Amino acid sequence: MVTKTRLRLGLWYLNKKNLCTFNLKSYPLPRGFPECYPQTHLNMSRSTSIKYLKAIVYAGIYGGLLIPLVFIPVVIFPFVFSKLIFFQILIGLTFPAYLILIWVEPQYRPKWVPLYSAIFAYFIALALSVIFAVDPLKAWWGNQERMNGLFTLLHFFIWFTMTTSFMTTWKQWRRILFYEVILSGVMAAVALLQVPFPKLLLFPVSARPGGLVDNPIYLAGYQIFNLFFIALLWLKGTSKRVKIGLIAFAALDLASFINAQSRGALVGLFAGVVIFAIVYLVTTPSKKVKIVVVSIAAAMFLLYGGIFALRNTSFVRHTPLERLTNVHATTETRFIAWKIGWEGFLDRPLTGWGLDDFHILFNQKYNPKSLEYSYYETWFDRAHNTVIDTLSMTGIIGFITFASIYIALLYSVVRAYRKKWIDIPMVGILLGLPTAYFVQNLFVFDQPAGFTMSFFMFALIAAVTSAKFVGVNEEDNTSKKPETTRSVPWIGYGVLMVLAAIIVWRTSILPWDASYDTIKSNTYFATRRYPKAFAFAQRAARIPTPYLSDQTFIQSRNLISLVNAGTIKKVPHWKDWYTLVKNVNTRYFVDHPRNTNPLFIYARFLNTFDRLIPADKMLAKKYYLRALATSPERQQVMYSLGRFYIENGKKQEGYNMFKKAVNADPNIGESHWYAGLSLMFDLGKTRDGAKEVIAAVHAPVPYKLKDVQEAGALAFAYDTMGDKAGLSSLLTKLQTLPGGSIPMYLNIARIMERQGLIKERNRILGALERAKPTLASRFAPLVAGSATSINESLKMTQSSGQGVASTATARSAPQASSTPSTTIVATTSAPESGNSILRVRK
C-alpha cells in the first residue's frame, strides 16, 4: 500500500512538471491532492516570460535605429565613438534575451533566406580577412575615429538577425518605418538649425551642416534611405492625415539633403529614382501610372537641368545648390587612392590586407602626388569607394561574397514579385533604394548612420521577400518531428547576462572611460591646469583599451606645444608626463608596428624633447626611420628626418632627405624650399640654394611663405641671383606676413637698396617709422640726402637710438627671428605706390 501511494505521488509530481501527460485515473490520489497540476498556470508563466524576453529584444531592435541621434560630447570623436559604444552596450545587453528565445521558440530563429545567407557568407569572408590581416588587432577592433572593425560589425549582424527574425509582417514593418521616419525628421531639424546656430552641437560647423552625424556626406546618405521609406509608406496606402505628415517629413529630409550639398549622394539618389521609374514602366500595366511616373521623373530632371543651367547666376551661387551643380571638383586624390587599392588587391588577392587596414596599404604605396592637394589629402584610411575597399581589404573572397549580397537581393525581390508576395511599389523601392545606396558608396564609405540604415534595409528586404511575410508555408512538415516545448531557462539567462555584462564592461565601458579621461586631460591642459591634466592622463593610460592611438596623439601634441612655447619646465612632473607618453606609445607599437602616423608623431615628440632628454635623441631617429620604412615616399617624414639630421650636425644627410623629397615629386614647392635653405645656409652652396628657393615659390604647387623671416630668406635668394622682379613682387607678400621684427624688415630693405629698388626700400622704411616713430630720426639723414644707404644713415645717428643694427654685411643672410612678442600693424602711405601694411614686432 505504501509503495502504491509513493508511486501515485511520484506520478503526480511528474505530471506537474510535464503538463498532465500521465493518466492518473487508475491511480486515485489521497484526499487533498489535485488529479492534475493546473496547466493554465504553467502556460501563463511561460507566456509572460516570453513576452518579457520579446520586449527586451524589441528594445534592441528599435534602439538600434537611435544610433544616428546619439551624441555625447565627452569622449574623443563623439559623433562616432559615442554612437557605437551605445550600440555595443545595447546589443550586448539585449542579445542574451534573443538567444534564450530562439532556444525555447523556434519561430524566432534566423531564417536562412538567400539574402541572410549571403550576408552571413560575407561575414565569414570578413573573419578570414581579420585572421590573415597585416594588423589583425586593428582589423578586429578598428580605431576610435571609425569603429569599423569586425567586433563592431558583428553587433550590426546580430541586430540584423534579431530584426529579420522578429519583424515578419507588414504591420510590424509599417510601425517601425513610421518610427524611423520620425527619427529622420529630428535628424533633419537639427541639421537645419545648425545654419542659424552653427554651435548648436558645441562644435562649429561650416556652410554644409552635418547635424548629429557631423559630416554632411553622411547626413545626405542617411536621408536617401528615409526618402525611400517615406515613398514606400505612401505607396502602400495610408490615410490623408498621415500623408500630410509624410509630406512634412519628406520636405524636412529633402531640405537637409540639399543643405548637405553632397554630390555623391545626389548621384546615388538620381540612380535610385531611375531604377524605381524603370521598374514601374516595365511592370505596371496601367498607362495612367506610366504617364505619371514618366512625368514626375521628367519634371525632376528638368528641374535639375534648369538649376544647372543657372549655376553661374547669383540665385544659385549663393545657395546650397551651387555645390550640387559644380561637377568640376577635384577627384584626383580619389583616383590615387583607388589605384593604390587596386595595387593592394593584386599584392594580396585572396583575403586582402585586412578589414580596416587600408591605411597600411595606402601608406606603403603612398603616392607623393597626393601632397599637391594639401596635407589633408595625404592620410587616407579608406579608398572612398566601397568596391575598391572590399577588394583591397578582404580580397577576392570578400568581393565575391559582397557581390553575392546584391545578387541575392535581386533574386529575392524578383522571386517574391513573380510569386505575387509583393506588389509593384514594393519592388520599385526594394530595387531603387539598394541602387542608390550602392552608387553613393562608390564615392564614400560606411559609418554609423550608414551601417544602421543599410542593415535595416537588408532586414526589410529579407523579411518582405520571404514566404512567411505573406503567410505562405513552403516547408514540407510531413516528416518533421514536432518541436519539444521548452520552459524558459532563467538560470541560463542569468548566466548569459553575466557573461554579456563582463564583455560589455571590458570592450565598451572601459574604452569609454579611457576616452573620457583623455578628453578631460585635454580640457584641463587647454586651461593650463597641468596637474589635473597629468592626473587624468595617468588614469587614461591605466585603463585597458584597444584604442590607444588617440591617447598617444593628444598627449604627444600637448607636450610638444609646451616645449615649443618654452614653458615645459614650468609644468610640475613634466618628466613623469614625458615617460608616461613614452610608455603608452611603446605599448601601442607592440600591437601595431606598421601604423605610419603614430610612428611619425612619436618620432616628432622624441625629436622635440631631444635637448631636454639627450639620452633619447637617437630614439627619435629610430622612429623616423620606422615611419619612413612604412611609407617610403612620404615627404612629411623626409622633411622632419632631414631637419633632425641637420640639428645633429649631419648636414649632408639632411640635404639628401630634402633632395629625395624633391625627386619624389618636383611639383611640390615645399620640398624645393627645404632643399634650398639647406644648400644656402648649411652646405654653403649659395647660388645652388638660391635657385632651389626661387623654384619653390614658382613651382606648380608653390611654397607659401609663413612669416617675415622666410620672406627674408627668399629676398636673400633673389639678391643672390640678381632677380629684381622677384624682389619687387616680394613687397606685396610682406603686407600679409606675420612675425616680422625691425631687424628682419631692415635686412630686406637693405637688399632692395642693394638691387637699386629704392621705392620699395622707402616703402618698408616708411612702414617701420609708422610702427615705431622713434625710428624717424635714424632715417633722417637718408631722407635729407646726407646719407646714401641705410647703413650709413644708421651709423650717422648711432647715438640717437637703440635696437636697430647699424651695420650689415654686403650679403647678409636673413636674421633669426626672436621670441614672439607684441605685433603692431602699421600702415604707411608711400607716394610711389599707395598704401602698404607691414606687421612689425616691437
Side-chain angles (χ1 to χ4, degrees):
M1 183 66 182
V2 175
T3 303
K4 288 184 178 181
T5 301
R6 287 181 177 176
L7 176 61
R8 287 195 295 270
L9 291 174
L11 292 174
W12 174 83
Y13 179 77
L14 291 174
N15 198 23
K16 177 181 72 172
K17 291 296 185 183
N18 292 278
L19 304 179
C20 299
T21 58
F22 290 91
N23 183 6
L24 300 179
K25 291 182 179 179
S26 57
Y27 296 94
L29 294 170
R31 184 177 297 178
F33 284 87
E35 289 190 359
C36 176
Y37 188 81
Q39 184 172 349
T40 54
H41 174 73
L42 272 181
N43 280 341
M44 288 179 61
S45 175
R46 184 175 184 277
S47 175
T48 301
S49 299
I50 289 175
K51 285 181 181 179
Y52 173 75
L53 294 172
K54 285 174 64 178
I56 295 175
V57 174
Y58 277 120
I61 295 171
Y62 276 79
L65 292 174
L66 293 173
I67 294 175
L69 282 78
V70 175
F71 169 63
I72 308 175
V74 296
V75 290
I76 305 171
F77 302 116
F79 290 100
V80 173
F81 189 65
S82 66
K83 295 179 191 301
L84 291 177
I85 289 296
F86 158 79
F87 184 60
Q88 289 177 6
I89 295 172
L90 175 72
I91 298 303
L93 298 181
T94 57
F95 185 49
Y98 176 71
L99 289 177
I100 295 299
L101 274 173
I102 64 175
W103 169 257
V104 300
E105 286 289 347
Q107 63 174 309
Y108 297 121
R109 293 172 187 172
K111 310 302 184 295
W112 291 92
V113 296
L115 182 55
Y116 184 89
S117 301
I119 293 176
F120 182 83
Y122 177 61
F123 270 84
I124 296 296
L126 294 183
L128 290 173
S129 78
V130 171
I131 294 170
F132 298 105
V134 293
D135 187 343
L137 284 176
K138 177 68 161 43
W140 172 252
W141 294 110
N143 63 11
Q144 199 162 341
E145 182 180 7
R146 305 291 188 206
M147 296 286 285
N148 281 354
L150 183 57
F151 178 75
T152 299
L153 295 184
L154 283 174
H155 287 74
F156 280 103
F157 181 72
I158 292 170
W159 182 65
F160 163 72
T161 301
M162 290 163 52
T163 305
T164 55
S165 301
F166 271 73
M167 313 296 290
T168 58
T169 67
W170 173 243
K171 182 179 179 181
Q172 292 173 313
W173 276 105
R174 186 176 184 274
R175 185 183 301 119
I176 199 170
L177 285 171
F178 272 116
Y179 168 74
E180 168 54 31
V181 167
I182 292 171
L183 296 182
S184 75
V186 175
M187 292 281 290
V190 172
L192 293 173
L193 283 172
Q194 283 185 302
V195 176
F197 305 106
K199 295 185 178 180
L200 179 68
L201 299 177
L202 303 181
F203 301 93
V205 298
S206 63
R208 299 172 59 200
L212 288 164
V213 292
D214 189 45
N215 190 315
I217 298 174
Y218 301 161
L219 175 66
Y222 171 81
Q223 294 298 15
I224 286 177
F225 288 93
N226 289 287
L227 289 171
F228 273 90
F229 293 152
I230 290 171
L232 177 60
L233 291 169
W234 181 287
L235 293 170
K236 291 297 291 181
T238 186
S239 66
K240 289 184 179 180
R241 181 179 299 178
V242 174
K243 284 186 176 181
I244 293 172
L246 289 175
I247 291 173
F249 280 108
L252 267 176
D253 293 349
L254 190 59
S256 67
F257 178 89
I258 293 172
N259 265 286
Q261 305 174 47
S262 171
R263 290 180 288 253
L266 180 65
V267 174
L269 181 61
F270 173 81
V273 171
V274 167
I275 294 299
F276 177 83
I278 290 174
V279 167
Y280 251 90
L281 291 175
V282 171
T283 57
T284 183
S286 172
K287 291 184 179 180
K288 182 178 179 181
V289 172
K290 289 182 178 182
I291 293 172
V292 170
V293 170
V294 170
S295 300
I296 294 175
M300 292 176 62
F301 297 146
L302 288 173
L303 177 63
Y304 180 78
I307 295 172
F308 185 81
L310 298 172
R311 63 189 182 279
N312 294 322
T313 65
S314 58
F315 170 75
V316 173
R317 292 180 64 181
H318 296 97
T319 68
L321 297 172
E322 189 276 334
R323 194 171 186 275
L324 294 177
T325 58
N326 178 10
V327 295
H328 299 291
T330 298
T331 58
E332 186 64 30
T333 54
R334 297 294 185 267
F335 292 142
I336 291 173
W338 296 354
K339 182 180 179 182
I340 289 174
W342 176 252
E343 292 174 353
F345 163 67
L346 296 179
D347 287 349
R348 296 174 65 95
L350 195 59
T351 58
W353 287 67
L355 183 64
D356 212 42
D357 281 348
F358 183 84
H359 66 103
I360 297 176
L361 163 62
F362 183 83
N363 291 328
Q364 189 66 45
K365 296 182 177 294
Y366 169 80
N367 186 340
K369 189 178 178 64
S370 296
L371 189 56
E372 295 183 17
Y373 304 94
S374 80
Y375 279 98
Y376 177 79
E377 298 292 344
T378 63
W379 298 103
F380 271 55
D381 59 357
R382 285 290 187 280
H384 292 261
N385 181 300
T386 299
V387 174
I388 298 296
D389 276 336
T390 303
L391 277 170
S392 60
M393 293 193 294
T394 65
I396 193 65
I397 297 176
F399 177 75
I400 290 173
T401 53
F402 172 76
S404 73
I405 293 175
Y406 287 91
I407 295 171
L409 187 153
L410 178 62
Y411 167 78
S412 299
V413 173
V414 172
R415 174 174 175 264
Y417 175 68
R418 286 180 174 176
K419 289 180 174 287
K420 299 184 179 180
W421 295 346
I422 56 177
D423 55 16
I424 294 173
M426 187 75 79
V427 174
I429 297 297
L430 298 188
L431 292 181
L433 177 54
T435 300
Y437 168 67
F438 178 83
V439 171
Q440 186 227 342
N441 272 9
L442 294 177
F443 307 97
V444 73
F445 50 86
D446 265 328
Q447 27 66 47
F451 281 127
T452 305
M453 290 293 94
S454 61
F455 279 99
F456 185 63
M457 173 190 71
F458 289 139
L460 170 65
I461 296 171
V464 302
T465 58
S466 66
K468 188 175 180 180
F469 186 74
V470 290
V472 176
N473 187 2
E474 293 194 315
E475 297 180 0
D476 182 10
N477 296 321
T478 55
S479 60
K480 192 174 181 180
K481 295 181 180 179
E483 293 284 349
T484 303
T485 302
R486 297 187 175 106
S487 58
V488 176
W490 286 109
I491 294 177
Y493 176 70
V495 171
L496 287 176
M497 280 300 296
V498 170
L499 290 175
I502 293 172
I503 293 172
V504 165
W505 175 260
R506 179 62 182 81
T507 61
S508 299
I509 301 299
L510 289 180
W512 173 278
D513 288 344
S515 185
Y516 172 82
D517 287 343
T518 302
I519 283 294
K520 290 290 290 184
S521 172
N522 192 57
T523 302
Y524 283 122
F525 182 91
T527 55
R528 299 183 181 181
R529 289 179 282 181
Y530 299 125
K532 286 191 174 183
F534 177 53
F536 274 98
Q538 286 179 307
R539 283 181 50 178
R542 286 194 295 265
I543 299 173
T545 175
Y547 311 113
L548 276 178
S549 62
D550 298 297
Q551 281 190 45
T552 66
F553 172 78
I554 289 175
Q555 300 301 340
S556 298
R557 179 199 62 190
N558 288 346
L559 292 191
I560 287 172
S561 69
L562 291 177
V563 175
N564 291 339
T567 58
I568 186 68
K569 291 186 177 180
K570 297 179 182 179
V571 176
H573 310 294
W574 70 268
K575 288 186 178 180
D576 294 333
W577 207 336
Y578 170 84
T579 302
L580 175 71
V581 175
K582 279 186 62 180
N583 292 338
V584 173
N585 274 281
T586 302
R587 283 164 48 201
Y588 177 77
F589 292 128
V590 168
D591 295 329
H592 310 285
R594 299 182 63 176
N595 196 343
T596 304
N597 188 263
L599 286 168
F600 177 50
I601 297 298
Y602 185 46
R604 289 181 57 194
F605 170 79
L606 294 168
N607 191 181
T608 305
F609 275 86
D610 59 7
R611 294 183 182 179
L612 299 170
I613 315 288
D616 288 343
K617 180 175 292 187
M618 289 301 103
L619 200 58
K621 176 184 175 182
K622 171 186 174 182
Y623 279 94
Y624 274 135
L625 291 175
R626 284 184 61 179
L628 195 59
T630 60
S631 191
E633 297 296 314
R634 186 172 287 279
Q635 296 101 319
Q636 298 102 308
V637 182
M638 297 176 194
Y639 299 156
S640 294
L641 182 55
R643 284 191 288 266
F644 173 83
Y645 280 137
I646 291 170
E647 289 167 2
N648 288 278
K650 297 183 178 181
K651 297 180 180 180
Q652 185 62 48
E653 288 88 339
Y655 167 73
N656 290 343
M657 273 292 117
F658 299 140
K659 187 60 178 176
K660 183 179 180 181
V662 171
N663 293 336
D665 184 1
N667 291 336
I668 304 295
E670 188 172 2
S671 301
H672 290 281
W673 179 262
Y674 296 134
L677 294 183
S678 180
L679 285 169
M680 282 199 302
F681 304 125
D682 298 321
L683 300 180
K685 299 180 179 180
T686 307
R687 288 190 66 83
D688 291 341
K691 291 178 182 178
E692 287 283 7
V693 167
I694 294 172
V697 296
H698 294 286
V701 184
Y703 180 73
K704 296 180 179 180
L705 301 176
K706 297 183 179 65
D707 52 34
V708 176
Q709 182 180 3
E710 292 191 345
L714 180 58
F716 182 70
Y718 282 135
D719 185 32
T720 300
M721 302 307 296
D723 188 343
K724 294 184 179 182
L727 267 176
S728 181
S729 66
L730 183 61
L731 195 62
T732 303
K733 297 178 183 178
L734 280 176
Q735 299 175 14
T736 60
L737 294 175
S741 63
I742 291 174
M744 290 180 191
Y745 283 116
L746 278 178
N747 241 14
I748 297 173
R750 288 187 183 102
I751 292 172
M752 299 285 188
E753 178 183 82
R754 189 160 49 242
Q755 291 295 330
L757 301 174
I758 304 305
K759 292 181 180 180
E760 288 78 359
R761 180 203 68 178
N762 290 344
R763 289 188 62 185
I764 295 174
L765 297 181
L768 291 176
E769 289 180 6
R770 294 296 185 93
K772 191 173 182 179
T774 57
L775 289 176
S777 61
R778 305 299 308 274
F779 301 136
L782 193 63
V783 175
S786 57
T788 58
S789 68
I790 295 173
N791 287 346
E792 188 178 351
S793 182
L794 294 175
K795 188 175 182 179
M796 292 174 64
T797 58
Q798 193 167 5
S799 60
S800 64
Q802 302 294 329
V804 179
S806 61
T807 60
T809 61
R811 283 287 187 270
S812 58
Q815 299 180 18
S817 62
S818 58
T819 303
S821 57
T822 305
T823 297
I824 298 177
V825 177
T827 303
T828 184
S829 201
E832 296 88 356
S833 6
N835 291 336
S836 128
I837 299 176
L838 299 181
R839 303 169 187 270
V840 185
R841 286 203 312 248
K842 286 184 179 180

